[in-house]
Amino acid sequence: MLCRTANDLYWVARNMERAENTARLLDMAQRIALLPERLDRGKAQAAPWRRALDSLGSAQEFQQTHGRIDAESVVQHLLLSPDNPGSIYSCLRAARENARAQRVAITAEMYEDLNSSWLEIRRFDSARLRQDGLSGALEWVKTRSAAFRGITIGTLGRGEGYQFLQMGAFIERADWSIRLLDMISSDEELPETGEARDATQYFQWSALLQALSAFETYRRLYRESVSPAGVAALMLLNDDNPRSLQTCVGAIHQILQQLSGGESLEVARQAGALAAQARYAHIDEIIAGGLEPWLQDTMSRLSKLGDEIHRQFMTTGAAPVAPPVMRQSQWQRTS
């Protein structure tokens, strides 16, 4: 497959997955912001919105540009801003443009779905957002992403194009499994027992599960009260969770093995090492050693894997190098 075709399909999937997870990030921030003040230890109402920006590495830049951090400005920035390359608006636009460049490599139904989503997001504005409510807009984004995923699975042949679409979706989802977890875990140090200290922690970690549509999954798998250790295990190490880090990096490794055609490639080795780390890690050991350092190390390795995928399949030159820093923004698109 041509490098440009592989690159465009890879970013179609990454942009759609990014749009969905940005919606989930906003959903989580809104749920935490709605906690009664007595359950948020009297913290400023803007705190969850700042933490959302922190998880993207953009809080300082946002404050310099906008002057203050509040719910309305952060929602506008992450949902509808055409000037923010990581906004939901920009992600849907980029996904549609990448797909238009490769219409012969995808099905007509896939392009029509992307085009429909793009035309609809263009009709969103602040007035409509106030009328329909933020929750309704975020559910629409998640539904559009799920619809595209279903159409892709149901209509596209299982060739190399399908593999690059899947790989883009899984590497983006793995990235977000860390970012969303970091938004909660970085707020304060976890107790060594992994249990929630108080009602505040309980409701914050519950909000994370609800934003990820994983509350019922947690209850079914763990049959216990929501705890930081249980949620972290579900998001990082549980292959029964379709959005967990382990599920995503395992799928990436399998895809890269198929694309390598039996050759021994560095990119497949890196993916295999990352999959093994997630598969054989234990949540108690991670918490004892510090969840934040583990997340930083995993994010760094995931970033390096993304660079190697780009170098191996999408260009004849060197891949762009992303700084291995947890909250460093990595939203630049490859074209």
Side-chain angles (χ1 to χ4, degrees):
M1 177 173 285
L2 294 175
C3 292
R4 181 55 187 260
T5 301
N7 180 79
D8 285 343
L9 295 179
Y10 176 82
W11 279 102
V12 165
R14 286 202 71 161
N15 279 307
M16 289 303 294
E17 189 70 28
R18 183 169 297 176
E20 177 181 345
N21 283 284
T22 302
R24 294 183 184 279
L25 176 70
L26 288 170
D27 185 12
M28 182 165 59
Q30 178 182 233
R31 290 175 184 273
I32 294 174
L34 291 175
L35 286 176
E37 185 176 347
R38 63 185 179 83
L39 289 180
D40 203 20
R41 302 189 180 97
K43 295 180 181 177
Q45 194 172 15
W49 303 104
R50 182 181 182 89
R51 280 153 52 191
L53 293 174
D54 278 338
S55 69
L56 304 178
S58 59
Q60 185 174 358
E61 179 184 353
F62 179 91
Q63 198 158 21
Q64 290 173 351
T65 303
H66 295 79
R68 58 177 297 182
I69 295 176
D70 57 28
E72 185 175 358
S73 60
V74 173
V75 169
Q76 177 68 28
H77 179 69
L78 293 182
L79 179 56
L80 298 177
S81 174
D83 299 322
N84 173 18
S87 71
I88 291 171
Y89 178 96
S90 296
C91 288
L92 294 181
R93 177 179 61 193
R96 185 251 195 180
E97 290 304 309
N98 286 133
R100 186 171 66 171
Q102 302 298 334
R103 291 195 64 173
V104 296
I106 62 176
T107 64
E109 290 84 356
M110 290 170 65
Y111 179 74
E112 289 168 3
D113 183 76
L114 290 171
N115 193 50
S116 176
S117 296
W118 164 238
L119 294 176
E120 182 66 21
I121 194 71
R122 291 177 64 185
R123 290 193 281 268
F124 275 78
D125 56 21
S126 298
R128 178 174 174 180
L129 197 58
R130 285 192 295 270
Q131 179 181 347
D132 296 346
L134 177 59
S135 296
L138 299 180
E139 285 303 315
W140 176 84
V141 175
K142 289 185 277 187
T143 299
R144 296 314 306 162
S145 175
F148 176 72
R149 188 161 52 244
I151 291 171
T152 300
I153 293 172
T155 64
L156 187 63
R158 294 329 192 235
E160 288 186 344
Y162 181 83
Q163 302 290 355
F164 280 105
L165 283 161
Q166 290 292 93
M167 184 161 59
F170 279 119
I171 200 164
E172 186 71 21
R173 193 179 298 172
D175 179 287
W176 276 93
S177 71
I178 297 173
R179 292 184 187 274
L180 291 169
L181 183 59
D182 180 64
M183 179 180 168
I184 299 295
S185 65
S186 63
D187 188 41
E188 54 188 272
E189 186 178 353
L190 293 183
E192 292 184 3
T193 61
E195 299 295 326
R197 284 197 187 95
D198 49 33
T200 301
Q201 277 201 342
Y202 175 85
F203 283 113
Q204 287 183 343
W205 288 88
S206 296
L208 174 57
L209 289 174
Q210 290 164 348
L212 289 169
S213 307
F215 194 84
E216 291 77 11
T217 300
Y218 182 92
R219 289 296 196 190
R220 187 179 68 254
L221 293 175
Y222 293 94
R223 300 181 183 277
E224 61 183 28
S225 178
V226 173
S227 68
V231 177
L234 180 70
M235 290 187 64
L236 296 175
L237 310 178
N238 196 313
D239 57 7
D240 288 328
N241 175 15
R243 310 194 71 84
S244 74
L245 175 70
Q246 180 178 330
T247 298
C248 294
V249 295
I252 293 167
H253 184 222
Q254 291 179 358
I255 292 168
L256 286 170
Q257 286 182 312
Q258 295 177 25
L259 290 173
S260 65
E263 295 183 41
S264 179
L265 299 180
E266 171 62 15
V267 66
R269 186 202 67 79
Q270 288 187 21
L274 192 55
Q277 173 182 298
R279 182 174 182 81
Y280 295 108
H282 195 281
I283 194 61
D284 291 340
E285 295 176 354
I286 293 175
I287 292 176
L291 179 60
E292 187 76 4
W294 195 92
L295 294 178
Q296 290 180 7
D297 176 68
T298 305
M299 177 66 84
S300 174
R301 297 178 66 180
L302 192 62
S303 176
K304 291 177 181 177
L305 176 60
D307 291 342
E308 188 64 23
I309 289 171
H310 184 274
R311 188 196 68 80
Q312 181 68 47
F313 298 109
M314 300 171 194
T315 183
T316 56
V321 178
V325 179
M326 179 65 200
R327 293 187 179 88
Q328 175 67 35
S329 178
Q330 297 173 15
W331 300 109
Q332 295 85 4
R333 274 177 194 78
T334 306
S335 59

